Amino acid sequence: QITFGSIFLGNVPVHEEVHRCAGQVHGYRGCIRDFQVNHKELFIIDEALEGRNVENCNVPICDYHPCHNGGTCTSDEEDWYCECPKLYTGKLCQFATCDENPCGNGATCFPKSRRDVVCLCPYGRSGFLCSDAINITQPSFSGTDVFGYTSFLAYSTIPNIISYYEFRLKFQLGNHHSALQDNLIFFTGQKGQGLNGDDFLELGLRNGRVVYSYNLGSGTATIISKPLDLTLNVHVIHLGRNLRKGWLKVDDQKNKTVTSPGRLVGLNVFSEFYLGGYREYTPELLPKGPRFKNGFQGCIFDVQVRTSLNQGFKSPGTPEGHPNSGRSVGQCKDSPCSLIKCRNGGKCIETGSTVYCDCLTGWKGAFCTETVSVCEPEHEPPHLCQQGSTCVPLPNGYTCHCPLGTTGTYCEQG
């Protein structure tokens, strides 16, 4: 194990005297787009502690051939993505995926290791392989999982929201300190990503306060509530907007108002209405508005909206109350792990409706009941057979079968 004090991108900061003593020294010149440590992708700018002489890169990302394992990069002026060949997944096609996908009902299959998979269940499904139907009346969201995905519900675009809207909803926080830190409650946008200049409407939690933002195309208006009263079990939000003027009321706090900058008065949004999280892979593509970094952790319920003072409140969706899609959303107060027993020290992990066993070193399989062979990639310590040779398990260790032209205990000699 190696412990890093800090990780530097581009160049290590040094004093000017060092430059003069050492001669001419240059750091990296170019663009860095994706930064990944193990299986976790990081925000290069937002998660940096400090930096200098860094500018936005305007070179088309596909010019850098970011896709791994034969993936094909496609881009336009606003976005890019990797089209992955069979057997690979991830934003950059960097993960060896589920060759014989065991996940059912349209679940997202994700490699837990080279041998085992996790099925990220779609709305209305639960279980190891997402084969169990569940009835969801109060959705439970799990934030951002270890694979970098948020749980979410997506409803059809809310019509007639241009000039006026009101939202009412209730939420219950998950039992984590992180549930208050930087979490998206809902989002809808013009092009779906809240980029600069796009219209968007967004609600979230940051540092224990409710944050409500909207952009009509001429600048972002934001209202931040007082800190939530954590003695309350259920929190109630009522927010709205009429032309440029918006308002927010949280629990029994006083009503707060804001007027958006500029002269534009209409909210033009065409994306689906996302609740609890977002469809895309989180670190790179979560909506950029005020840029919440995680999905919601807890339960959101009784979501209602109206777009005129003369109409009643309704649940979002077509038909009313029905989402178009979702991922890893469970039923509030239900625990999928209550039905699962992981063996040999394995720990049951649940993220909404998604559930799997996190096995201790040396064990694998859905319930951590299979031992890891000394020759398998997951074994600790790894075998020493050189690339191209074949590791063969023995009762007391292993041996290496060498390809033509090599010899030695580990086929290390030519």
Side-chain angles (χ1 to χ4, degrees):
Q1 293 185 341
I2 302 174
T3 301
F4 295 96
S6 299
I7 298 176
F8 298 100
L9 286 184
N11 194 14
V12 178
V14 294
H15 296 294
E16 292 299 325
E17 299 82 49
V18 176
H19 279 294
R20 286 197 293 268
C21 292
Q24 193 172 13
V25 179
H26 294 292
Y28 175 73
R29 293 183 178 181
C31 301
I32 299 175
R33 172 76 182 215
D34 290 272
F35 180 34
Q36 178 179 317
V37 179
N38 294 330
H39 288 295
K40 177 69 174 176
E41 292 188 41
L42 304 176
F43 290 99
I44 292 178
I45 298 299
D46 287 7
E47 297 190 27
L49 299 178
E50 60 178 312
R52 66 169 180 247
N53 300 331
V54 178
E55 297 177 348
N56 194 39
C57 180
N58 295 315
V59 180
I61 185 62
C62 286
D63 288 2
Y64 292 99
H65 309 290
C67 307
H68 300 188
N69 299 304
T72 303
C73 184
T74 302
S75 69
D76 54 31
E77 293 179 356
E78 298 173 348
D79 199 8
W80 66 277
Y81 64 93
C82 292
E83 202 170 311
C84 301
K86 205 171 179 182
L87 310 186
Y88 291 95
T89 188
K91 176 96 168 63
L92 305 176
C93 309
Q94 70 270 48
F95 300 125
T97 189
C98 329
D99 15 358
E100 296 178 4
N101 184 353
C103 304
N105 299 295
T108 301
C109 183
F110 203 91
K112 184 171 66 167
S113 68
R114 297 190 187 184
R115 299 276 179 164
D116 295 328
V117 305
V118 173
C119 301
L120 307 181
C121 296
Y123 175 72
R125 291 286 172 172
S126 184
F128 272 130
L129 304 179
C130 305
S131 54
D132 303 330
I134 57 171
N135 182 35
I136 298 175
T137 56
Q138 293 188 346
S140 171
F141 303 88
S142 54
T144 306
D145 63 28
V146 295
F147 308 108
Y149 288 87
T150 59
S151 54
F152 75 91
L153 290 177
Y155 297 86
S156 55
T157 304
I158 298 173
N160 306 317
I161 202 173
I162 293 177
S163 300
Y164 181 92
Y165 59 74
E166 281 185 78
F167 284 88
R168 298 191 306 203
L169 62 90
K170 300 175 183 177
F171 68 85
Q172 194 170 14
L173 293 169
N175 292 321
H176 329 204
H177 176 65
S178 59
L180 286 165
Q181 295 308 304
D182 205 345
N183 306 82
L184 178 70
I185 297 176
F186 71 60
F187 170 85
T188 184
Q190 187 170 33
K191 297 173 183 174
Q193 293 187 349
L195 299 169
N196 290 340
D198 287 359
D199 292 17
F200 67 83
L201 164 63
E202 192 163 33
L203 181 71
L205 295 173
R206 180 169 286 134
N207 298 325
R209 302 168 186 259
V210 175
V211 180
Y212 161 42
S213 296
Y214 59 91
N215 191 330
L216 308 180
S218 54
T220 300
T222 299
I223 303 176
I224 301 176
S225 76
K226 292 182 178 180
L228 292 173
D229 179 357
L230 300 183
T231 64
L232 298 175
N233 186 39
V234 175
H235 299 276
V236 180
I237 294 179
H238 184 191
L239 63 88
R241 180 189 64 86
N242 183 20
L243 301 178
R244 292 172 57 206
K245 185 176 181 180
W247 66 91
L248 170 70
K249 181 168 177 56
V250 177
D251 297 329
D252 58 357
Q253 297 180 17
K254 289 185 177 179
N255 196 56
K256 300 185 77 171
T257 62
V258 71
T259 300
S260 67
R263 305 175 66 179
L264 299 179
V265 297
L267 178 71
N268 298 289
V269 292
F270 310 115
S271 77
E272 293 179 300
F273 177 75
Y274 293 97
L275 186 68
Y278 197 54
R279 178 188 308 279
E280 301 287 0
Y281 187 54
T282 303
E284 185 64 38
L285 298 176
L286 200 64
K288 291 185 170 51
R291 195 184 270 282
F292 294 99
K293 294 180 182 176
N294 296 296
F296 185 78
Q297 298 176 46
C299 303
I300 304 176
F301 45 94
D302 295 348
V303 180
Q304 295 184 313
V305 60
R306 67 177 180 180
T307 54
S308 168
L309 278 170
N310 301 321
Q311 65 178 210
F313 281 89
K314 293 183 178 181
S315 299
T318 307
E320 183 182 346
H322 290 261
N324 295 341
S325 61
R327 177 177 58 221
S328 297
V329 175
Q331 169 68 1
C332 194
K333 298 182 181 177
D334 279 2
S335 171
C337 279
S338 64
L339 306 175
I340 301 296
K341 186 167 180 62
C342 305
R343 308 291 179 176
N344 300 303
K347 181 182 179 182
C348 183
I349 306 293
E350 58 183 58
T351 57
S353 60
T354 295
V355 60
Y356 64 94
C357 288
D358 187 22
C359 304
L360 291 179
T361 300
W363 296 95
K364 65 177 183 176
F367 296 94
C368 306
T369 54
E370 305 168 42
T371 57
V372 176
S373 161
V374 68
C375 286
E376 293 185 65
E378 295 87 354
H379 189 270
E380 292 291 343
H383 68 79
L384 300 177
C385 298
Q386 297 296 298
Q387 188 171 4
S389 62
T390 303
C391 177
V392 179
L394 298 175
N396 296 309
Y398 63 94
T399 186
C400 303
H401 286 185
C402 301
L404 187 65
T406 64
T407 185
T409 305
Y410 306 116
C411 310
E412 74 279 13
Q413 300 173 19

